[in-house]
Amino acid sequence: MSRNYDAIKAHYAGSNIGDLVAMMAPITGETRWTEMAGFPYAGTYVGADAIIAGVFKRIAEEWTGYTFTLERLIDGGTTIVGIGTYSGHYKPTGKAMRARVVHVWDVDEGRVVRFEQFTDTRLVADAMR
């Protein structure tokens, strides 16, 4: 597999054990990270600090058991695609969520240039109501 594939595989391995440092290892100060419109953390964040504050910190504060389960990782050279499922419980409502998701990563020499998330935002929103 490619260096780009290995970098994203390592990101997901870090995610599996809650290691934020490992997750952010391929992220640069210029990485553009886009959460899908309709998702509670929708928007584009640039750089590790903005991504952590805008996405990962909020998830940790608002959800219990929030996970991404990777089912397929596709090596497209400079584009890596992760397919899987989000799940967790939203703390304020106690409701469970389970939603299919696709992550599209544009990677150059093991460093993330761009990330974009695609998911069923309705399933996430339903857990938050």
Side-chain angles (χ1 to χ4, degrees):
M1 294 292 150
S2 72
R3 179 178 181 187
N4 294 334
Y5 178 93
D6 290 342
I8 302 311
K9 183 177 178 183
H11 164 89
Y12 288 127
S15 177
N16 288 343
I17 61 171
D19 184 345
L20 189 59
V21 172
M23 291 173 60
M24 300 310 286
I27 305 301
T28 74
E30 290 79 41
T31 298
R32 296 183 61 79
W33 183 286
T34 301
E35 297 284 311
M36 188 168 179
F39 195 68
Y41 316 112
T44 298
Y45 306 90
V46 180
D49 291 342
I51 295 164
I52 291 168
V55 181
F56 295 113
K57 184 176 183 223
R58 292 170 66 192
I59 288 170
E61 291 171 348
E62 298 173 9
W63 296 83
T64 56
Y66 191 99
T67 60
F68 170 72
T69 303
L70 180 67
E71 295 163 20
R72 290 182 66 197
L73 190 59
I74 302 165
D75 188 348
T78 59
T79 301
I80 309 299
V81 178
I83 302 169
T85 303
Y86 287 145
S87 60
H89 287 81
Y90 189 60
K91 288 179 184 178
T93 65
K95 292 181 183 177
M97 173 274 300
R98 185 170 177 81
R100 297 288 291 156
V101 61
V102 173
H103 294 157
V104 179
W105 303 83
D106 292 327
V107 189
D108 182 26
E109 297 297 319
R111 307 302 282 171
V112 176
V113 175
R114 191 171 26 259
F115 164 91
E116 190 169 2
Q117 167 216 57
F118 299 90
T119 191
D120 186 339
T121 58
R122 171 94 188 250
L123 294 175
V124 180
D126 285 350
M128 299 174 80
R129 294 188 197 130

